[in-house]
C-alpha cells in the first residue's frame, strides 16, 4: 500500500518530468499540468484516497490542492518557479530530475532542502530585501558575499532566488559577474538573464556568449553599501503554513526561591526567559557559529563541552524558535502549554520571548496526560531548552488547539499481517510461521533468524522486511552486514576525515573532520520524520560483530523504545536520542559460528529468536516441495519428479546427526540445492559438490580426523541411496539404443 508521502512524491515527480519534456520554456498552467499528470498516472487519486484512509488521519484537503501546496518544497529548493498560476521547471530542477530518478528520493531531497531554507528563512528574507532595494543606476552584488553577510548558505540562497524570483533576484551573480553563479541553467534562463541585465545596463557584451552571460565588473556593488538601502529590521515572521509547528520544552527556576518561573513571572507576564549568567548575544548572532563565538568570548574559562551546550540552547531560543511554535513547561506534575507570540528580546542577562499561555487554569497532568516518550524528554534536566517536535500535534490536541497541517502523516505505523503471497514466495506451506514473526515484532521490535547455513535466513529476512515496509520498501529497508572490524562509528555515527577545500576550490586545504551518520542513524532519522511508515534494518551475520562495541549506548534503547539517551558525539542537541517505534530490526545468525546459548544475556533479552532448521518446519520438507513445484512449472509430472537432491540432503544431515547426536547447530540447509548451479548443465551436481558441499563439510570436520570424501563424497552417497549418476544414465540409454539398432540384431 503506498503511503501519502509516496503518492505525493509520484505526483510531483511526474509533473516535473512533464514540464521538462513538454513545457521547457514557458511553463504550464497548473490546471492543464494536473490533467496531464492524472493522464500519465491514472491511479494516483485512488492511491491518495487509500493512503489517507489507511493512515487514519483526517485530511479533507483535495489531492490536487495538497500536491500544489507541497510543491512549495520544490520552490524553496529552487527547482520550480510558480508565477501567474504557471509552473516552470528551472535548470536546477532539471538537474535534480537527473540525479533523483526515483520519485520518493526526488521529493525527500526537496523536503530536506526546504528544511534548510526554513532554518535560515529569516535571514534569506533580509538578503532578498537588500536585492530589492539596490539603488537605481544599475548595480549587482556577488551571491557569495551577500550570503556571507547574512550567514546564509550560498547553496540555499541561490536556489531560493531562482525559485521565488523576488524583485532583483537576477542581480545576485557569481564573483566574476556570471549569471547563475555556477548553478545549472536552461538555455531559456540564460536568455532571460541576458535580457534582464541588458535592460539594467549591466550586460557585458564582450565577456558574454551563447553559453555564458556576464555583468560589467565595474558595476559590482559591495554588499555593505547595499545594506544601507535595506532598511528592513531583523524581525521575526511566522513560518510558512506548510511547515509543522515545533515543540519546545523550556525550563526555568527562580535562583532565590527555587520556584519554577512558570508559577510566577512567566505566567504573570506572558513570557518565557532563558537565563545565561552573562550578557547574551543579540539578534545579530543569527546562526549557531556566531552564537558559539559569543559564548566563547563570554565564557573563556568554561570547558568546551559546556560552552557547546550553552551555545546550542541560545541558538535554539534565539534563532530556531519561531512565532507560532509551542512551548511546554512544568511546575511539579502540572504542565503548561503556550504559543510563542513574537521574536526574542535581549535584556541584561537573559533572553525573553512573549508567550500566549493556553491552559493556565487547567494544567495537564505530567504523569497522566503526556505520552511516556514525551515525559522522558521533559524529565531530562541537562538542558534549559529542548526540542520535541514529534509530539507537537499530541500536545496541541490535549489543549484543544488545532495545529497547522503537517506535510506528512503522523502514524502510528502498523505492521501488516503475513500473506499467502509472501508464504508462497518463500516456498512455505502457509503463513503460520511468518505470522508468528509478525506477532513477535509487534511485541518486541527486534527479531533474529538463527540456524545452520543454507536455511534461507537472509532471504527470508529481506522478503519479510520488504513485505512489512510495503510500497516504500525501496527507501525504508536497509541491509548491513556485521563483521569483526565493524564498530559503532560504522553503524551509527562517527568522525570521518576528508580532504578540505583549498583557496582555489581544490582539495589542497588539508584534512577536515565531519560527523558522518551511519546506516542506523540515517534510517532512525527518516523513521522519526515519517512515523506512519514502517522502516526495517536487516543486519546480516549479526553474531560476527562485537555487539557491545557496535551498539554502545543504543543497547539500552533496544529494550526501552520510549526512553532517550545522550549520544556519544553529542549530536542529539541535548534532547536525547531514541529509536523510533516504527523502526524494526531483523538479524540473521549462523549457529555454526555461535550458538544462541552463548550470546550475551542482554542481547538475548532484547531480541526475539526464530529458528530456521532443516529438521523443523518451515525448512523441513521445503526442498522436496520446491522440486515438485519446479517440475510442474517445467511441464513435468509433479508426482514423478526427480527427488534425488532432497534424498542427498537428507542423507548428509542424517550423517551429521549421527556424528554429533546432541548438537543441532550444524546441518546443511536446502538453499544449496535450490540455486541454478545445482540444476544447470551437465555435471551441475558434481560442480556443486566440489565447490560448496565438500568445502563446507571439510571446515566443519576440521581437525577431527574425518575423511570427508569417504563419508560425504557424491559417488559414495549416490551408491548408498541407489541414485544413478548422469554417466550411468547415459550408458544405459546408449545400451538401450544399441539393442534397438537392427544392425545388432
Amino acid at each position: 500500500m503506498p503511503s501519502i508521502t509516496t503518492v505525493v512524491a509520484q505526483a510531483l515527480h511526474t509533473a516535473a518530468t512533464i514540464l521538462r519534456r513538454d513545457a521547457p520554456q514557458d511553463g504550464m498552467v497548473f490546471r492543464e499540468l494536473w490533467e496531464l499528470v492524472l493522464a500519465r498516472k491514472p491511479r494516483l487519486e485512488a492511491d491518495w484516497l487509500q493512503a489517507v484512509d489507511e493512515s487514519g488521519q483526517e485530511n479533507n484537503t483535495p489531492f490536487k490542492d495538497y500536491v500544489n501546496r507541497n510543491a512549495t518544497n520544490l520552490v524553496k529548493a529552487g527547482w520550480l518557479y510558480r508565477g501567474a498560476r504557471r509552473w516552470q521547471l528551472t535548470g536546477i530542477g532539471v538537474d535534480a530530475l537527473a540525479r533523483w530518478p526515483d520519485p520518493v528520493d526526488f521529493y525527500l531531497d526537496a523536503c530536506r532542502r526546504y528544511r534548510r531554507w526554513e532554518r535560515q528563512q529569516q535571514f534569506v528574507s533580509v538578503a532578498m530585501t537588500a536585492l530589492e532595494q539596490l539603488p537605481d543606476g544599475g548595480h549587482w552584488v556577488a551571491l557569495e558575499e551577500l550570503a556571507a553577510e547574512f550567514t546564509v548558505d550560498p547553496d540555499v540562497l541561490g536556489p531560493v532566488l531562482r525559485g521565488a524570483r523576488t524583485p532583483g533576484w537576477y542581480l545576485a551573480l557569481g564573483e566574476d559577474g556570471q549569471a547563475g553563479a555556477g548553478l545549472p541553467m536552461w538555455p531559456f534562463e540564460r536568455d532571460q538573464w541576458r535580457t534582464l541585465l541588458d535592460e539594467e545596463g549591466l550586460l557585458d557584451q564582450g565577456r558574454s556568449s551563447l553559453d555564458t552571460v556576464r555583468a560589467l565588473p565595474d558595476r559590482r556593488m559591495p554588499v555593505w553599501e547595499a545594506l544601507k538601502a535595506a532598511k528592513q529590521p531583523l524581525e521575526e515572521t511566522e513560518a510558512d503554513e506548510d511547515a509543522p509547528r515545533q515543540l519546545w520544552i523550556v525550563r526555568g527556576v527562580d535562583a532565590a526561591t527555587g520556584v519554577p518561573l512558570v508559577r510566577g513571572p512567566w505566567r504573570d507576564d506572558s513570557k518565557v526567559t532563558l537565563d545565561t549568567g552573562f550578557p547574551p548575544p543579540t539578534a545579530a548572532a543569527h546562526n549557531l557559529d556566531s552564537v558559539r563565538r559569543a559564548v566563547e568570548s563570554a565564557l573563556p574559562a568554561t570547558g568546551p563541552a559546556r560552552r557547546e551546550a550553552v551555545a546550542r540552547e541560545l541558538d535554539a531560543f534565539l534563532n530556531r524558535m519561531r512565532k507560532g511554535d509551542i512551548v511546554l513547561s512544568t511546575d511539579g506534575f502540572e504542565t503548561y502549554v503556550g504559543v510563542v507570540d513574537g521574536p526574542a528580546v535581549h535584556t541584561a542577562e537573559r533572553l525573553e520571548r512573549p508567550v500566549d499561555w493556553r491552559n493556565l487554569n487547567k494544567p495537564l497532568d505530567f504523569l497522566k496526560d503526556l505520552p511516556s516518550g514525551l515525559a522522558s524528554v521533559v524529565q531530562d534536566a541537562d538542558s534549559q531548552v529542548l526540542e520535541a517536535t514529534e509530539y507537537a500535534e499530541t500536545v496541541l490536541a490535549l489543549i484543544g488547539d488545532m495545529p497547522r497541517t503537517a506535510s506528512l502523516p503522523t502514524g502510528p505505523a502498523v505492521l501488516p499481517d503475513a500473506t499467502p503471497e509472501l508464504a508462497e514466495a518463500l516456498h512455505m506451506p502457509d503463513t503460520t510461521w511468518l505470522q508468528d514473526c509478525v506477532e513477535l515484532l509487534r511485541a518486541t521490535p527486534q527479531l533474529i533468524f538463527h540456524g545452520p547455513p543454507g536455511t534461507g535466513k537472509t532471504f527470508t529476512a529481506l522478503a519479510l522486511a520488504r513485505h512489512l515496509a510495503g510500497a516504500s520498501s525501496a527507501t525504508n529497508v536497509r541491509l548491513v552486514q556485521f563483521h569483526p572490524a565493524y564498530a559503532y562509528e560504522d553503524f551509527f555515527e562517527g568522525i570521518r576525515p576528508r580532504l578540505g577545500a583549498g583557496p582555489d576550490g581544490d582539495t589542497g586545504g588539508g584534512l577536515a573532520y565531519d560527523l558522518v551518520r551511519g546506516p542506523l542513524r540515517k534510517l532512525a532519522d527518516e523513521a522519526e520524520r515519517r512515523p506512519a511508515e514502517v522502516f526495517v534494518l536487516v543486519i546480516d551475520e549479526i553474531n560476527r560483530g562485537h555487539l557491545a562495541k557496535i551498539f554502545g549506548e543504543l543497547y539500552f534503547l533496544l529494550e526501552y523504545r520510549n526512553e532517550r539517551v545522550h549520544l556519544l558525539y553529542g549530536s542529539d542537541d541535548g534532547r536525547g536520542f531514541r529509536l523510533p517505534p516504527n523502526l524494526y530490526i531483523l538479524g540473521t545468525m549462523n549457529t555454526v559460528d555461535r550458538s544462541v546459548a552463548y550470546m550475551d544475556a542482554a542481547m538475548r533479552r532484547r531480541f526475539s529468536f526464530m529458528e530456521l532448521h532443516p529438521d523443523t518446519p518451515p525448512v523441513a520438507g521445503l526442498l522436496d516441495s520446491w522440486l515438485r513445484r519446479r517440475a510442474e512449472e517445467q511441464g513435468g509430472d509433479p508426482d514423478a519428479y526427480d527427488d534425488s537432491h532432497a534424498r542427498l540432503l537428507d542423507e548428509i544431515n542424517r550423517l551429521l546427526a549421527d556424528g554429533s547426536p546432541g548438537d543441532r547447530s550444524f546441518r546443511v540447509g536446502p538453499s544449496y540445492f535450490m540455486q541454478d548451479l545445482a540444476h544447470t548443465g551437465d555435471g551441475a551436481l558434481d560442480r556443486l559438490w566440489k565447490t560448496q558441499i565438500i568445502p563446507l563439510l571439510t571446515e566443519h570436520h576440521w581437525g577431527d580426523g574425518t575423511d570427508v570424501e569417504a563419508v560425504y563424497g557424491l559417488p559414495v552417497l549416490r551408491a548408498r541411496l541407489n541414485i544413478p549418476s548422469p554417466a550411468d544414465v547415459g550408458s544405459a540409454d546408449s545400451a538401450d539404443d544399441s539393442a534397438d539398432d537392427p544392425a545388432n540384431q
Side-chain angles (χ1 to χ4, degrees):
M1 181 204 73
S3 66
I4 291 179
T5 301
T6 301
V7 179
V8 172
Q10 290 173 346
L12 288 172
H13 189 271
T14 303
T17 303
I18 292 171
L19 289 172
R20 179 185 60 185
R21 188 192 65 186
D22 298 332
Q25 181 166 340
D26 299 326
M28 190 176 293
V29 175
F30 179 60
R31 182 182 64 258
E32 177 185 351
L33 175 62
W34 186 246
E35 291 174 356
L36 293 176
V37 169
L38 295 182
R40 179 172 290 193
K41 299 282 186 180
R43 280 201 50 81
L44 272 179
E45 289 197 313
D47 288 344
W48 159 259
L49 293 173
Q50 183 183 4
V52 170
D53 183 60
E54 292 290 338
S55 72
Q57 67 171 349
E58 291 188 11
N59 194 329
N60 298 320
T61 306
F63 182 37
K64 175 183 176 182
D65 296 342
Y66 195 88
V67 172
N68 195 5
R69 187 176 66 201
N70 278 270
T72 302
N73 292 294
L74 275 62
V75 173
K76 300 307 181 184
W79 301 354
L80 180 71
Y81 169 64
R82 292 186 299 190
R85 298 184 180 180
R86 301 182 75 86
W87 284 27
Q88 185 182 63
L89 200 65
T90 68
I92 310 174
V94 173
D95 182 66
L97 274 176
R99 285 186 297 108
W100 303 108
D102 179 78
V104 175
D105 291 341
F106 176 82
Y107 178 59
L108 291 181
D109 189 62
C111 292
R112 283 189 287 269
R113 293 171 187 273
Y114 176 93
R115 288 191 290 271
R116 289 187 64 198
W117 163 81
E118 181 186 30
R119 290 192 292 269
Q120 305 178 47
Q121 69 172 108
Q122 176 182 348
F123 306 103
V124 169
S125 176
V126 178
M128 288 178 169
T129 300
L131 283 176
E132 291 177 26
Q133 299 184 6
L134 280 176
D136 296 334
H139 298 279
W140 62 273
V141 296
L143 175 67
E144 291 274 354
E145 186 183 348
L146 181 67
E149 181 65 33
F150 294 101
T151 58
V152 176
D153 294 333
D155 55 352
V156 170
L157 180 59
V160 168
L161 289 172
R162 293 274 286 278
R165 297 190 189 179
T166 52
W169 65 273
Y170 53 89
L171 298 175
L173 307 173
E175 287 289 333
D176 62 348
Q178 183 174 346
L183 294 169
M185 284 196 300
W186 277 32
F188 82 85
E189 289 181 292
R190 212 162 20 243
D191 294 341
Q192 183 182 35
W193 230 304
R194 180 181 286 106
T195 299
L196 291 170
L197 292 179
D198 194 24
E199 290 175 353
E200 295 274 355
L202 294 173
L203 182 65
D204 189 337
Q205 300 282 359
R207 296 195 306 149
S208 298
S209 64
L210 287 176
D211 298 326
T212 307
V213 177
R214 285 189 170 89
L216 294 167
D218 60 344
R219 307 300 288 275
R220 174 175 174 176
M221 187 178 195
V223 170
W224 66 268
E225 288 189 19
L227 291 179
K228 293 179 181 178
K231 303 300 184 182
Q232 177 173 317
L234 299 181
E235 293 179 352
E236 187 166 88
T237 58
E238 282 196 74
D240 265 16
E241 289 297 313
D242 290 337
R245 294 163 81 172
Q246 301 172 103
L247 171 64
W248 300 94
I249 299 164
V250 184
R251 299 187 185 85
V253 176
D254 187 283
T257 63
V259 173
L261 293 171
V262 72
R263 192 189 302 178
W266 290 5
R267 177 190 183 104
D268 298 339
D269 300 334
S270 299
K271 66 181 181 181
V272 291
T273 59
L274 180 64
D275 292 320
T276 60
F278 61 90
T282 65
H286 41 254
N287 65 13
L288 181 57
D289 286 337
S290 55
V291 174
R292 282 185 180 126
R293 290 192 292 270
V295 173
E296 288 172 3
S297 175
L299 304 174
T302 305
R306 178 56 187 159
R307 285 205 305 266
E308 178 67 13
V310 172
R312 288 183 178 276
E313 290 180 3
L314 283 168
D315 179 59
F317 195 92
L318 185 63
N319 300 318
R320 294 172 57 205
M321 191 179 291
R322 304 184 308 250
K323 183 177 181 180
D325 282 354
I326 308 109
V327 170
L328 182 150
S329 194
T330 58
D331 177 7
F333 292 120
E334 295 182 346
T335 304
Y336 298 91
V337 181
V339 177
V340 178
D341 206 24
V345 178
H346 178 276
T347 64
E349 289 190 351
R350 67 179 55 89
L351 291 170
E352 298 181 356
R353 274 185 180 268
V355 169
D356 177 16
W357 295 104
R358 297 295 177 86
N359 65 332
L360 290 176
N361 297 322
K362 193 177 181 181
L364 301 173
D365 187 290
F366 176 86
L367 294 177
K368 296 179 181 178
D369 297 327
L370 298 189
S372 58
L374 176 58
S376 66
V377 178
V378 173
Q379 292 180 79
D380 188 337
D382 290 343
S383 302
Q384 293 184 71
V385 182
L386 290 172
E387 184 187 355
T389 298
E390 65 269 28
Y391 298 102
E393 292 196 15
T394 302
V395 171
L396 285 167
L398 288 172
I399 63 170
D401 194 358
M402 294 301 293
R404 294 190 186 97
T405 302
S407 59
L408 297 176
T410 58
V414 177
L415 287 182
D417 289 338
T419 62
E421 292 77 15
L422 177 62
E424 182 178 2
L426 291 170
H427 311 292
M428 294 183 182
D430 54 45
T431 62
T432 303
W433 189 89
L434 290 167
Q435 187 60 34
D436 287 344
C437 294
V438 174
E439 296 299 339
L440 286 172
L441 285 169
R442 287 169 177 167
T444 302
Q446 294 93 224
L447 175 64
I448 288 178
F449 297 138
H450 65 102
T455 49
K457 298 180 292 295
T458 304
F459 183 77
T460 302
L462 284 171
L464 179 60
R466 289 164 182 152
H467 169 73
L468 297 175
S472 301
S473 61
T475 57
N476 293 17
V477 174
R478 180 163 301 194
L479 171 70
V480 298
Q481 187 174 60
F482 282 4
H483 52 77
Y486 206 67
Y488 175 93
E489 288 75 14
D490 304 303
F491 184 52
F492 190 70
E493 65 181 5
I495 302 295
R496 291 283 185 276
R498 62 173 172 81
L499 291 175
D504 298 324
D506 56 16
T507 56
L511 284 178
Y513 294 89
D514 296 324
L515 183 60
V516 178
R517 297 183 302 160
L520 176 59
R521 183 66 192 270
K522 289 179 181 177
L523 207 60
D525 288 348
E526 284 300 319
E528 196 74 78
R529 283 191 286 269
R530 294 150 61 188
E533 299 179 25
V534 173
F535 290 77
V536 186
L537 179 67
V538 178
I539 305 176
D540 198 27
E541 305 283 2
I542 190 171
N543 53 307
R544 294 187 65 229
H546 190 313
L547 298 180
K549 181 175 76 170
I550 293 173
F551 279 95
E553 69 270 18
L554 306 177
Y555 237 41
F556 172 79
L557 297 181
L558 291 174
E559 186 172 6
Y560 300 99
R561 285 295 185 99
N562 289 325
E563 301 296 333
R564 293 176 178 268
V565 298
H566 293 295
L567 297 175
L568 178 64
Y569 291 98
S571 60
D572 54 295
D573 295 333
R575 65 190 295 271
F577 171 84
R578 70 167 186 165
L579 286 176
N582 57 322
L583 172 59
Y584 298 85
I585 298 176
L586 293 177
T588 71
M589 176 177 168
N590 195 330
T591 50
V592 173
D593 298 329
R594 188 181 185 188
S595 169
V596 172
Y598 291 102
M599 287 191 68
D600 186 309
M603 192 70 175
R604 294 202 307 272
R605 187 174 69 249
R606 287 162 170 78
F607 280 80
S608 300
F609 291 83
M610 288 291 282
E611 185 182 47
L612 287 165
H613 195 280
D615 294 349
T616 58
V619 182
L622 187 150
L623 179 58
D624 194 72
S625 172
W626 182 83
L627 290 168
R628 185 188 301 272
R629 184 187 304 176
R630 183 173 182 272
E632 186 176 5
E633 290 173 350
Q634 293 178 347
D637 183 356
D639 295 325
Y641 68 98
D642 181 5
D643 66 347
S644 58
H645 290 69
R647 292 166 61 198
L648 287 167
L649 175 63
D650 291 342
E651 182 64 12
I652 292 174
N653 285 329
R654 185 190 66 78
L655 292 170
L656 289 169
D658 290 346
S660 53
D663 182 9
R664 298 177 71 253
S665 63
F666 188 85
R667 298 287 189 275
V668 177
S671 299
Y672 290 99
F673 296 86
M674 297 168 67
Q675 54 186 318
D676 290 341
L677 178 63
H679 302 274
T680 305
D682 295 335
L685 197 56
D686 296 85
R687 283 192 295 273
L688 172 71
W689 223 264
K690 180 180 178 180
T691 60
Q692 295 189 20
I693 301 299
I694 291 299
L696 179 71
L697 296 169
T698 299
E699 182 181 358
H700 174 61
H701 286 291
W702 185 263
D704 67 3
T706 300
D707 186 339
V708 174
E709 283 287 355
V711 177
Y712 302 101
L714 184 57
V716 175
L717 297 187
R718 276 174 170 159
R720 182 179 301 149
L721 299 173
N722 295 319
I723 298 174
S725 69
D728 295 335
V729 174
S731 299
D733 291 341
S734 298
D736 291 341
D737 292 341
S738 176
D740 293 337
D741 191 334
N744 296 326
Q745 300 271 330

